[in-house]
Amino acid sequence: MQNQLLTTKQAAQILGVSVAFLERDRWAGARVPFIKVGSRAVRYRHSDLLAYIESCTHYSTNQY
């Protein structure tokens, strides 16, 4: 599943966010990496989602 391409809905479920959050994120500068397939389709790599989650992990409030 690591290299499987996921839809926005599937990615939102993995991240625990709404589809609208991911759509706004793409529009505003994409903190969550995505792949544009063709002229309209957007996909996410499972491994990119896991890396994004890891990058958001903090162990103390003084880390951010």
Side-chain angles (χ1 to χ4, degrees):
M1 180 164 183
Q2 288 293 357
N3 292 323
Q4 181 180 4
L5 296 180
L6 306 170
T7 65
T8 301
K9 184 177 180 179
Q10 292 169 320
Q13 290 173 335
I14 289 171
L15 295 174
V17 299
S18 68
V19 168
F21 172 87
L22 289 175
E23 291 169 345
R24 280 191 307 270
D25 182 67
R26 289 194 308 264
W27 180 81
R31 292 174 294 177
V32 181
F34 66 95
I35 300 166
K36 186 82 175 207
V37 181
S39 62
R40 299 186 75 181
V42 172
R43 296 292 182 262
Y44 294 85
R45 279 191 206 109
H46 189 262
S47 58
D48 287 343
L49 298 177
L50 296 179
Y52 173 73
I53 291 168
E54 190 64 30
S55 74
C56 294
T57 302
H58 300 285
Y59 298 97
S60 173
T61 55
N62 66 2
Q63 287 183 305
Y64 49 92

CSV table of all heavy atoms in Angstrom, one decimal:
chain,number,residue,atom,x,y,z
A,1,MET,N,0.8,-1.2,0.0
A,1,MET,CA,0.0,0.0,0.0
A,1,MET,C,0.9,1.3,0.0
A,1,MET,O,0.4,2.3,-0.3
A,1,MET,CB,-0.9,0.0,1.2
A,1,MET,CG,-1.8,1.2,1.3
A,1,MET,SD,-3.1,0.9,2.4
A,1,MET,CE,-4.0,2.4,2.3
A,2,GLN,N,2.2,1.1,0.3
A,2,GLN,CA,3.0,2.3,0.4
A,2,GLN,C,3.0,3.2,-0.8
A,2,GLN,O,3.0,4.4,-0.7
A,2,GLN,CB,4.5,1.9,0.7
A,2,GLN,CG,4.7,1.3,2.1
A,2,GLN,CD,4.5,2.4,3.2
A,2,GLN,OE1,4.3,3.6,2.9
A,2,GLN,NE2,4.6,2.0,4.4
A,3,ASN,N,3.0,2.7,-2.0
A,3,ASN,CA,3.0,3.5,-3.2
A,3,ASN,C,1.7,3.6,-4.0
A,3,ASN,O,1.6,4.1,-5.1
A,3,ASN,CB,4.1,2.9,-4.2
A,3,ASN,CG,5.5,3.1,-3.6
A,3,ASN,OD1,5.8,4.2,-3.0
A,3,ASN,ND2,6.4,2.2,-3.8
A,4,GLN,N,0.7,3.1,-3.3
A,4,GLN,CA,-0.7,3.2,-3.9
A,4,GLN,C,-1.1,4.7,-4.0
A,4,GLN,O,-0.9,5.4,-3.0
A,4,GLN,CB,-1.6,2.4,-3.0
A,4,GLN,CG,-3.0,2.4,-3.6
A,4,GLN,CD,-4.0,1.6,-2.7
A,4,GLN,OE1,-3.6,1.1,-1.7
A,4,GLN,NE2,-5.2,1.5,-3.1
A,5,LEU,N,-1.7,5.0,-5.1
A,5,LEU,CA,-2.3,6.4,-5.2
A,5,LEU,C,-3.7,6.4,-4.6
A,5,LEU,O,-4.5,5.6,-5.0
A,5,LEU,CB,-2.3,6.8,-6.7
A,5,LEU,CG,-0.9,7.0,-7.3
A,5,LEU,CD1,-1.0,7.4,-8.7
A,5,LEU,CD2,0.0,7.9,-6.5
A,6,LEU,N,-3.9,7.4,-3.8
A,6,LEU,CA,-5.2,7.5,-3.1
A,6,LEU,C,-6.0,8.7,-3.6
A,6,LEU,O,-5.4,9.7,-3.9
A,6,LEU,CB,-5.0,7.6,-1.6
A,6,LEU,CG,-4.1,6.5,-1.0
A,6,LEU,CD1,-3.8,6.9,0.5
A,6,LEU,CD2,-4.9,5.2,-1.0
A,7,THR,N,-7.3,8.7,-3.5
A,7,THR,CA,-8.1,9.8,-3.8
A,7,THR,C,-8.1,10.8,-2.7
A,7,THR,O,-7.6,10.5,-1.6
A,7,THR,CB,-9.6,9.4,-4.0
A,7,THR,OG1,-10.1,8.9,-2.8
A,7,THR,CG2,-9.7,8.3,-5.1
A,8,THR,N,-8.6,12.0,-2.9
A,8,THR,CA,-8.7,13.0,-1.9
A,8,THR,C,-9.5,12.5,-0.7
A,8,THR,O,-9.1,12.7,0.5
A,8,THR,CB,-9.3,14.3,-2.5
A,8,THR,OG1,-8.4,14.8,-3.5
A,8,THR,CG2,-9.3,15.4,-1.4
A,9,LYS,N,-10.6,11.8,-1.0
A,9,LYS,CA,-11.4,11.3,0.1
A,9,LYS,C,-10.7,10.3,0.9
A,9,LYS,O,-10.7,10.3,2.2
A,9,LYS,CB,-12.7,10.7,-0.5
A,9,LYS,CG,-13.7,10.2,0.5
A,9,LYS,CD,-14.9,9.7,-0.1
A,9,LYS,CE,-15.9,9.2,1.0
A,9,LYS,NZ,-17.1,8.7,0.4
A,10,GLN,N,-9.9,9.4,0.3
A,10,GLN,CA,-9.2,8.4,1.0
A,10,GLN,C,-8.1,9.1,1.8
A,10,GLN,O,-7.8,8.7,3.0
A,10,GLN,CB,-8.6,7.4,0.1
A,10,GLN,CG,-9.6,6.5,-0.6
A,10,GLN,CD,-9.0,5.7,-1.8
A,10,GLN,OE1,-8.2,6.2,-2.5
A,10,GLN,NE2,-9.4,4.4,-1.9
A,11,ALA,N,-7.4,10.0,1.3
A,11,ALA,CA,-6.3,10.7,2.0
A,11,ALA,C,-6.9,11.5,3.2
A,11,ALA,O,-6.3,11.5,4.3
A,11,ALA,CB,-5.6,11.7,1.0
A,12,ALA,N,-8.0,12.1,3.0
A,12,ALA,CA,-8.7,12.8,4.1
A,12,ALA,C,-9.0,11.8,5.3
A,12,ALA,O,-8.8,12.2,6.5
A,12,ALA,CB,-9.9,13.5,3.7
A,13,GLN,N,-9.4,10.6,5.0
A,13,GLN,CA,-9.7,9.7,6.0
A,13,GLN,C,-8.5,9.2,6.7
A,13,GLN,O,-8.5,9.1,8.0
A,13,GLN,CB,-10.4,8.4,5.4
A,13,GLN,CG,-11.8,8.7,4.9
A,13,GLN,CD,-12.4,7.5,4.1
A,13,GLN,OE1,-11.7,6.7,3.6
A,13,GLN,NE2,-13.7,7.5,4.1
A,14,ILE,N,-7.4,9.1,6.0
A,14,ILE,CA,-6.1,8.7,6.7
A,14,ILE,C,-5.6,9.8,7.6
A,14,ILE,O,-5.1,9.5,8.7
A,14,ILE,CB,-5.1,8.3,5.6
A,14,ILE,CG1,-5.4,7.0,4.9
A,14,ILE,CG2,-3.7,8.2,6.2
A,14,ILE,CD1,-4.6,6.6,3.7
A,15,LEU,N,-5.7,11.0,7.1
A,15,LEU,CA,-5.2,12.1,7.9
A,15,LEU,C,-6.2,12.6,9.0
A,15,LEU,O,-5.8,13.3,9.9
A,15,LEU,CB,-4.9,13.3,7.0
A,15,LEU,CG,-3.8,13.1,6.0
A,15,LEU,CD1,-3.7,14.3,5.1
A,15,LEU,CD2,-2.5,12.9,6.7
A,16,GLY,N,-7.4,12.2,8.9
A,16,GLY,CA,-8.4,12.6,9.9
A,16,GLY,C,-8.9,14.0,9.7
A,16,GLY,O,-9.2,14.7,10.6
A,17,VAL,N,-8.9,14.5,8.4
A,17,VAL,CA,-9.3,15.8,8.1
A,17,VAL,C,-10.4,15.7,7.1
A,17,VAL,O,-10.7,14.6,6.5
A,17,VAL,CB,-8.2,16.7,7.5
A,17,VAL,CG1,-7.1,16.8,8.6
A,17,VAL,CG2,-7.6,16.1,6.2
A,18,SER,N,-11.0,16.9,6.7
A,18,SER,CA,-12.1,16.9,5.7
A,18,SER,C,-11.5,17.0,4.3
A,18,SER,O,-10.4,17.4,4.1
A,18,SER,CB,-13.0,18.0,6.0
A,18,SER,OG,-12.4,19.3,5.7
A,19,VAL,N,-12.3,16.6,3.3
A,19,VAL,CA,-11.9,16.7,1.9
A,19,VAL,C,-11.7,18.2,1.7
A,19,VAL,O,-10.7,18.6,1.0
A,19,VAL,CB,-13.0,16.1,1.0
A,19,VAL,CG1,-12.8,16.6,-0.4
A,19,VAL,CG2,-13.0,14.6,1.2
A,20,ALA,N,-12.5,19.1,2.2
A,20,ALA,CA,-12.4,20.5,2.0
A,20,ALA,C,-11.1,21.0,2.5
A,20,ALA,O,-10.5,21.9,1.9
A,20,ALA,CB,-13.6,21.3,2.7
A,21,PHE,N,-10.6,20.5,3.7
A,21,PHE,CA,-9.3,20.9,4.2
A,21,PHE,C,-8.2,20.6,3.1
A,21,PHE,O,-7.3,21.5,2.9
A,21,PHE,CB,-8.9,20.1,5.5
A,21,PHE,CG,-7.5,20.4,5.9
A,21,PHE,CD1,-7.2,21.4,6.7
A,21,PHE,CD2,-6.5,19.5,5.6
A,21,PHE,CE1,-5.9,21.7,7.2
A,21,PHE,CE2,-5.2,19.7,6.0
A,21,PHE,CZ,-4.9,20.8,6.8
A,22,LEU,N,-8.2,19.4,2.5
A,22,LEU,CA,-7.2,19.1,1.5
A,22,LEU,C,-7.3,20.0,0.3
A,22,LEU,O,-6.3,20.4,-0.3
A,22,LEU,CB,-7.2,17.6,1.2
A,22,LEU,CG,-6.7,16.7,2.3
A,22,LEU,CD1,-6.9,15.2,1.8
A,22,LEU,CD2,-5.3,17.0,2.6
A,23,GLU,N,-8.6,20.3,-0.1
A,23,GLU,CA,-8.8,21.1,-1.3
A,23,GLU,C,-8.2,22.5,-1.0
A,23,GLU,O,-7.6,23.1,-1.9
A,23,GLU,CB,-10.3,21.2,-1.6
A,23,GLU,CG,-10.7,19.8,-2.2
A,23,GLU,CD,-12.3,19.8,-2.3
A,23,GLU,OE1,-13.0,20.6,-1.7
A,23,GLU,OE2,-12.7,18.8,-3.0
A,24,ARG,N,-8.5,23.1,0.2
A,24,ARG,CA,-8.0,24.4,0.6
A,24,ARG,C,-6.5,24.4,0.6
A,24,ARG,O,-5.8,25.3,0.2
A,24,ARG,CB,-8.6,24.9,1.9
A,24,ARG,CG,-10.0,25.4,1.8
A,24,ARG,CD,-10.4,26.1,3.1
A,24,ARG,NE,-10.3,25.2,4.2
A,24,ARG,CZ,-11.2,24.4,4.7
A,24,ARG,NH1,-12.4,24.3,4.1
A,24,ARG,NH2,-11.0,23.7,5.8
A,25,ASP,N,-5.9,23.3,1.2
A,25,ASP,CA,-4.5,23.2,1.3
A,25,ASP,C,-3.8,23.2,-0.1
A,25,ASP,O,-2.8,23.9,-0.2
A,25,ASP,CB,-4.1,21.8,2.0
A,25,ASP,CG,-2.6,21.7,2.2
A,25,ASP,OD1,-2.0,22.5,3.0
A,25,ASP,OD2,-2.0,20.8,1.6
A,26,ARG,N,-4.4,22.5,-1.1
A,26,ARG,CA,-3.8,22.6,-2.4
A,26,ARG,C,-3.9,24.0,-3.0
A,26,ARG,O,-2.9,24.5,-3.6
A,26,ARG,CB,-4.5,21.6,-3.3
A,26,ARG,CG,-4.3,20.2,-3.1
A,26,ARG,CD,-4.7,19.3,-4.2
A,26,ARG,NE,-6.1,19.5,-4.6
A,26,ARG,CZ,-7.1,18.7,-4.1
A,26,ARG,NH1,-7.0,17.8,-3.3
A,26,ARG,NH2,-8.4,19.0,-4.6
A,27,TRP,N,-5.0,24.7,-2.7
A,27,TRP,CA,-5.2,26.0,-3.3
A,27,TRP,C,-4.2,27.0,-2.6
A,27,TRP,O,-3.7,27.9,-3.2
A,27,TRP,CB,-6.6,26.4,-3.0
A,27,TRP,CG,-6.9,27.8,-3.5
A,27,TRP,CD1,-7.2,28.2,-4.8
A,27,TRP,CD2,-6.9,29.0,-2.7
A,27,TRP,NE1,-7.4,29.5,-4.9
A,27,TRP,CE2,-7.2,30.1,-3.6
A,27,TRP,CE3,-6.7,29.3,-1.4
A,27,TRP,CZ2,-7.3,31.4,-3.2
A,27,TRP,CZ3,-6.8,30.6,-1.0
A,27,TRP,CH2,-7.1,31.6,-1.9
A,28,ALA,N,-3.9,26.8,-1.3
A,28,ALA,CA,-3.1,27.8,-0.5
A,28,ALA,C,-1.6,27.5,-0.6
A,28,ALA,O,-0.9,28.3,0.0
A,28,ALA,CB,-3.6,27.8,0.9
A,29,GLY,N,-1.2,26.4,-1.1
A,29,GLY,CA,0.2,26.2,-1.2
A,29,GLY,C,0.7,24.8,-0.8
A,29,GLY,O,1.9,24.6,-0.7
A,30,ALA,N,-0.2,23.9,-0.6
A,30,ALA,CA,0.1,22.5,-0.4
A,30,ALA,C,1.1,22.1,0.6
A,30,ALA,O,2.3,21.8,0.3
A,30,ALA,CB,0.4,21.8,-1.8
A,31,ARG,N,0.8,22.1,1.8
A,31,ARG,CA,1.6,21.5,2.9
A,31,ARG,C,1.6,20.0,2.7
A,31,ARG,O,2.6,19.3,3.0
A,31,ARG,CB,1.1,21.9,4.3
A,31,ARG,CG,1.3,23.3,4.5
A,31,ARG,CD,0.7,23.7,5.9
A,31,ARG,NE,-0.8,23.5,5.7
A,31,ARG,CZ,-1.6,23.6,6.7
A,31,ARG,NH1,-1.2,24.0,7.9
A,31,ARG,NH2,-2.9,23.4,6.5
A,32,VAL,N,0.5,19.4,2.3
A,32,VAL,CA,0.4,18.0,2.1
A,32,VAL,C,0.7,17.7,0.6
A,32,VAL,O,0.0,18.2,-0.3
A,32,VAL,CB,-1.1,17.5,2.4
A,32,VAL,CG1,-1.1,16.0,2.2
A,32,VAL,CG2,-1.5,17.8,3.8
A,33,PRO,N,1.8,16.9,0.3
A,33,PRO,CA,2.1,16.7,-1.1
A,33,PRO,C,1.1,15.9,-1.9
A,33,PRO,O,0.4,15.0,-1.3
A,33,PRO,CB,3.4,15.8,-1.0
A,33,PRO,CG,3.9,15.9,0.4
A,33,PRO,CD,2.7,16.3,1.2
A,34,PHE,N,0.8,16.3,-3.1
A,34,PHE,CA,-0.2,15.6,-3.9
A,34,PHE,C,0.4,15.5,-5.3
A,34,PHE,O,1.4,16.1,-5.7
A,34,PHE,CB,-1.5,16.4,-4.0
A,34,PHE,CG,-1.4,17.8,-4.6
A,34,PHE,CD1,-1.7,17.9,-6.0
A,34,PHE,CD2,-1.0,18.9,-3.9
A,34,PHE,CE1,-1.7,19.2,-6.6
A,34,PHE,CE2,-0.9,20.1,-4.5
A,34,PHE,CZ,-1.3,20.3,-5.8
A,35,ILE,N,-0.3,14.7,-6.1
A,35,ILE,CA,0.1,14.4,-7.5
A,35,ILE,C,-1.1,14.8,-8.4
A,35,ILE,O,-2.2,14.4,-8.1
A,35,ILE,CB,0.4,12.9,-7.7
A,35,ILE,CG1,1.6,12.5,-6.8
A,35,ILE,CG2,0.7,12.6,-9.2
A,35,ILE,CD1,1.7,11.0,-6.7
A,36,LYS,N,-0.8,15.6,-9.4
A,36,LYS,CA,-1.8,15.9,-10.4
A,36,LYS,C,-1.8,15.0,-11.5
A,36,LYS,O,-0.8,14.8,-12.2
A,36,LYS,CB,-1.5,17.4,-10.9
A,36,LYS,CG,-2.6,17.9,-11.7
A,36,LYS,CD,-3.7,18.5,-10.9
A,36,LYS,CE,-4.7,19.1,-11.9
A,36,LYS,NZ,-5.4,20.1,-11.6
A,37,VAL,N,-2.9,14.2,-11.8
A,37,VAL,CA,-2.9,13.2,-12.8
A,37,VAL,C,-3.9,13.7,-13.9
A,37,VAL,O,-5.1,13.9,-13.6
A,37,VAL,CB,-3.4,11.9,-12.3
A,37,VAL,CG1,-3.5,10.8,-13.4
A,37,VAL,CG2,-2.6,11.4,-11.1
A,38,GLY,N,-3.4,14.1,-15.0
A,38,GLY,CA,-4.2,14.6,-16.1
A,38,GLY,C,-4.6,16.1,-15.7
A,38,GLY,O,-3.9,16.7,-15.0
A,39,SER,N,-5.7,16.5,-16.3
A,39,SER,CA,-6.0,17.9,-16.1
A,39,SER,C,-6.8,18.2,-14.8
A,39,SER,O,-6.9,19.3,-14.3
A,39,SER,CB,-6.8,18.5,-17.3
A,39,SER,OG,-8.0,17.7,-17.4
A,40,ARG,N,-7.5,17.1,-14.3
A,40,ARG,CA,-8.4,17.4,-13.1
A,40,ARG,C,-8.1,16.4,-11.9
A,40,ARG,O,-8.4,16.8,-10.8
A,40,ARG,CB,-9.8,17.2,-13.6
A,40,ARG,CG,-10.2,18.2,-14.6
A,40,ARG,CD,-11.6,18.1,-14.9
A,40,ARG,NE,-12.4,18.8,-13.8
A,40,ARG,CZ,-13.7,18.9,-13.8
A,40,ARG,NH1,-14.4,18.4,-14.7
A,40,ARG,NH2,-14.3,19.5,-12.8
A,41,ALA,N,-7.7,15.3,-12.2
A,41,ALA,CA,-7.5,14.3,-11.1
A,41,ALA,C,-6.4,14.6,-10.2
A,41,ALA,O,-5.3,14.9,-10.6
A,41,ALA,CB,-7.4,12.9,-11.7
A,42,VAL,N,-6.6,14.5,-8.9
A,42,VAL,CA,-5.6,14.7,-7.9
A,42,VAL,C,-5.5,13.4,-7.1
A,42,VAL,O,-6.5,12.8,-6.7
A,42,VAL,CB,-6.0,15.8,-6.9
A,42,VAL,CG1,-5.0,15.9,-5.8
A,42,VAL,CG2,-6.0,17.1,-7.7
A,43,ARG,N,-4.2,13.0,-6.8
A,43,ARG,CA,-4.0,11.7,-6.0
A,43,ARG,C,-2.9,12.0,-5.0
A,43,ARG,O,-2.1,13.0,-5.1
A,43,ARG,CB,-3.6,10.6,-6.9
A,43,ARG,CG,-4.6,10.1,-7.9
A,43,ARG,CD,-5.8,9.5,-7.3
A,43,ARG,NE,-6.8,9.0,-8.2
A,43,ARG,CZ,-7.9,9.7,-8.6
A,43,ARG,NH1,-8.1,10.9,-8.1
A,43,ARG,NH2,-8.7,9.2,-9.4
A,44,TYR,N,-2.9,11.2,-4.0
A,44,TYR,CA,-1.9,11.3,-2.9
A,44,TYR,C,-1.2,9.9,-2.7
A,44,TYR,O,-1.9,8.9,-2.8
A,44,TYR,CB,-2.6,11.6,-1.6
A,44,TYR,CG,-3.3,13.0,-1.6
A,44,TYR,CD1,-4.5,13.2,-2.1
A,44,TYR,CD2,-2.6,14.1,-1.0
A,44,TYR,CE1,-5.1,14.5,-2.1
A,44,TYR,CE2,-3.1,15.4,-1.0
A,44,TYR,CZ,-4.4,15.5,-1.5
A,44,TYR,OH,-4.9,16.8,-1.5
A,45,ARG,N,0.1,10.0,-2.5
A,45,ARG,CA,0.8,8.7,-2.2
A,45,ARG,C,0.7,8.5,-0.7
A,45,ARG,O,0.8,9.4,0.1
A,45,ARG,CB,2.3,8.9,-2.5
A,45,ARG,CG,2.7,8.7,-3.9
A,45,ARG,CD,4.2,8.6,-4.0
A,45,ARG,NE,4.6,9.0,-5.3
A,45,ARG,CZ,5.3,10.2,-5.6
A,45,ARG,NH1,5.6,11.0,-4.6
A,45,ARG,NH2,5.6,10.5,-6.8
A,46,HIS,N,0.4,7.2,-0.4
A,46,HIS,CA,0.3,6.8,1.0
A,46,HIS,C,1.6,7.2,1.8
A,46,HIS,O,1.5,7.7,2.9
A,46,HIS,CB,0.0,5.3,1.1
A,46,HIS,CG,-0.3,4.9,2.5
A,46,HIS,ND1,0.6,4.3,3.3
A,46,HIS,CD2,-1.5,5.0,3.2
A,46,HIS,CE1,0.0,4.0,4.5
A,46,HIS,NE2,-1.3,4.4,4.5
A,47,SER,N,2.7,6.9,1.2
A,47,SER,CA,4.0,7.2,1.8
A,47,SER,C,4.2,8.7,2.1
A,47,SER,O,4.7,9.1,3.1
A,47,SER,CB,5.2,6.7,1.0
A,47,SER,OG,5.2,7.2,-0.3
A,48,ASP,N,3.7,9.6,1.2
A,48,ASP,CA,3.7,11.0,1.4
A,48,ASP,C,2.8,11.4,2.6
A,48,ASP,O,3.2,12.3,3.3
A,48,ASP,CB,3.3,11.8,0.1
A,48,ASP,CG,4.3,11.7,-1.0
A,48,ASP,OD1,5.5,11.4,-0.7
A,48,ASP,OD2,3.9,12.0,-2.1
A,49,LEU,N,1.7,10.8,2.7
A,49,LEU,CA,0.8,11.1,3.8
A,49,LEU,C,1.5,10.8,5.2
A,49,LEU,O,1.4,11.5,6.1
A,49,LEU,CB,-0.5,10.4,3.7
A,49,LEU,CG,-1.4,10.8,2.4
A,49,LEU,CD1,-2.6,9.9,2.4
A,49,LEU,CD2,-1.7,12.2,2.4
A,50,LEU,N,2.1,9.6,5.2
A,50,LEU,CA,2.8,9.2,6.4
A,50,LEU,C,3.9,10.1,6.8
A,50,LEU,O,4.2,10.5,7.9
A,50,LEU,CB,3.3,7.7,6.3
A,50,LEU,CG,2.2,6.7,6.2
A,50,LEU,CD1,2.8,5.3,6.0
A,50,LEU,CD2,1.2,6.7,7.3
A,51,ALA,N,4.7,10.6,5.7
A,51,ALA,CA,5.8,11.5,6.0
A,51,ALA,C,5.2,12.9,6.5
A,51,ALA,O,5.8,13.5,7.3
A,51,ALA,CB,6.6,11.7,4.7
A,52,TYR,N,4.1,13.3,5.9
A,52,TYR,CA,3.5,14.5,6.4
A,52,TYR,C,3.1,14.4,7.9
A,52,TYR,O,3.3,15.3,8.6
A,52,TYR,CB,2.2,14.9,5.5
A,52,TYR,CG,1.5,16.0,6.1
A,52,TYR,CD1,2.0,17.3,6.0
A,52,TYR,CD2,0.3,15.9,6.7
A,52,TYR,CE1,1.3,18.4,6.5
A,52,TYR,CE2,-0.4,16.9,7.2
A,52,TYR,CZ,0.1,18.2,7.1
A,52,TYR,OH,-0.6,19.3,7.7
A,53,ILE,N,2.4,13.3,8.2
A,53,ILE,CA,2.1,13.1,9.6
A,53,ILE,C,3.3,13.1,10.5
A,53,ILE,O,3.3,13.8,11.6
A,53,ILE,CB,1.3,11.7,9.8
A,53,ILE,CG1,0.0,11.8,9.1
A,53,ILE,CG2,1.2,11.4,11.2
A,53,ILE,CD1,-0.7,10.5,9.0
A,54,GLU,N,4.4,12.5,10.1
A,54,GLU,CA,5.6,12.5,10.9
A,54,GLU,C,6.2,13.9,11.0
A,54,GLU,O,6.6,14.3,12.1
A,54,GLU,CB,6.6,11.6,10.2
A,54,GLU,CG,7.8,11.3,11.0
A,54,GLU,CD,7.6,10.6,12.3
A,54,GLU,OE1,6.6,9.8,12.4
A,54,GLU,OE2,8.3,10.8,13.3
A,55,SER,N,6.1,14.7,10.0
A,55,SER,CA,6.6,16.1,10.0
A,55,SER,C,5.8,17.0,11.0
A,55,SER,O,6.3,18.0,11.4
A,55,SER,CB,6.6,16.7,8.6
A,55,SER,OG,5.3,17.1,8.2
A,56,CYS,N,4.5,16.6,11.3
A,56,CYS,CA,3.7,17.3,12.2
A,56,CYS,C,3.8,16.8,13.6
A,56,CYS,O,3.1,17.4,14.5
A,56,CYS,CB,2.2,17.2,11.7
A,56,CYS,SG,1.9,18.0,10.1
A,57,THR,N,4.6,15.8,13.8
A,57,THR,CA,4.7,15.2,15.2
A,57,THR,C,5.6,16.1,16.0
A,57,THR,O,6.7,16.4,15.7
A,57,THR,CB,5.2,13.8,15.1
A,57,THR,OG1,4.3,13.0,14.3
A,57,THR,CG2,5.3,13.2,16.5
A,58,HIS,N,5.1,16.4,17.2
A,58,HIS,CA,5.9,17.2,18.2
A,58,HIS,C,5.9,16.5,19.5
A,58,HIS,O,4.9,15.8,19.9
A,58,HIS,CB,5.3,18.6,18.4
A,58,HIS,CG,5.3,19.4,17.1
A,58,HIS,ND1,6.4,20.0,16.5
A,58,HIS,CD2,4.2,19.7,16.3
A,58,HIS,CE1,6.1,20.6,15.4
A,58,HIS,NE2,4.8,20.4,15.2
A,59,TYR,N,6.9,16.6,20.3
A,59,TYR,CA,7.1,16.0,21.5
A,59,TYR,C,7.1,17.0,22.7
A,59,TYR,O,7.1,16.5,23.9
A,59,TYR,CB,8.3,15.1,21.6
A,59,TYR,CG,8.2,14.0,20.5
A,59,TYR,CD1,8.9,14.2,19.3
A,59,TYR,CD2,7.5,12.9,20.7
A,59,TYR,CE1,8.7,13.2,18.3
A,59,TYR,CE2,7.4,11.9,19.7
A,59,TYR,CZ,8.0,12.1,18.5
A,59,TYR,OH,7.9,11.1,17.6
A,60,SER,N,7.1,18.2,22.4
A,60,SER,CA,7.0,19.3,23.4
A,60,SER,C,6.5,20.5,22.8
A,60,SER,O,6.7,20.8,21.6
A,60,SER,CB,8.4,19.5,24.0
A,60,SER,OG,8.4,20.6,24.9
A,61,THR,N,5.8,21.4,23.6
A,61,THR,CA,5.3,22.6,23.0
A,61,THR,C,6.4,23.6,22.6
A,61,THR,O,6.1,24.5,21.9
A,61,THR,CB,4.4,23.3,24.0
A,61,THR,OG1,5.0,23.5,25.3
A,61,THR,CG2,3.1,22.5,24.3
A,62,ASN,N,7.6,23.4,23.2
A,62,ASN,CA,8.7,24.4,22.8
A,62,ASN,C,9.3,24.0,21.5
A,62,ASN,O,10.2,24.6,21.0
A,62,ASN,CB,9.7,24.5,23.9
A,62,ASN,CG,10.5,23.2,24.1
A,62,ASN,OD1,10.3,22.2,23.4
A,62,ASN,ND2,11.4,23.2,25.1
A,63,GLN,N,8.8,23.0,20.8
A,63,GLN,CA,9.3,22.6,19.5
A,63,GLN,C,8.7,23.4,18.3
A,63,GLN,O,9.2,23.3,17.2
A,63,GLN,CB,9.1,21.1,19.2
A,63,GLN,CG,9.9,20.2,20.0
A,63,GLN,CD,9.7,18.7,19.7
A,63,GLN,OE1,8.5,18.2,19.7
A,63,GLN,NE2,10.7,18.0,19.3
A,64,TYR,N,7.7,24.1,18.6
A,64,TYR,CA,7.1,24.9,17.5
A,64,TYR,C,6.9,26.3,17.8
A,64,TYR,O,7.0,27.0,18.5
A,64,TYR,CB,5.8,24.3,17.0
A,64,TYR,CG,4.8,23.9,18.0
A,64,TYR,CD1,3.8,24.8,18.4
A,64,TYR,CD2,4.8,22.6,18.6
A,64,TYR,CE1,2.8,24.4,19.3
A,64,TYR,CE2,3.9,22.3,19.5
A,64,TYR,CZ,2.9,23.2,19.9
A,64,TYR,OH,1.9,22.8,20.8
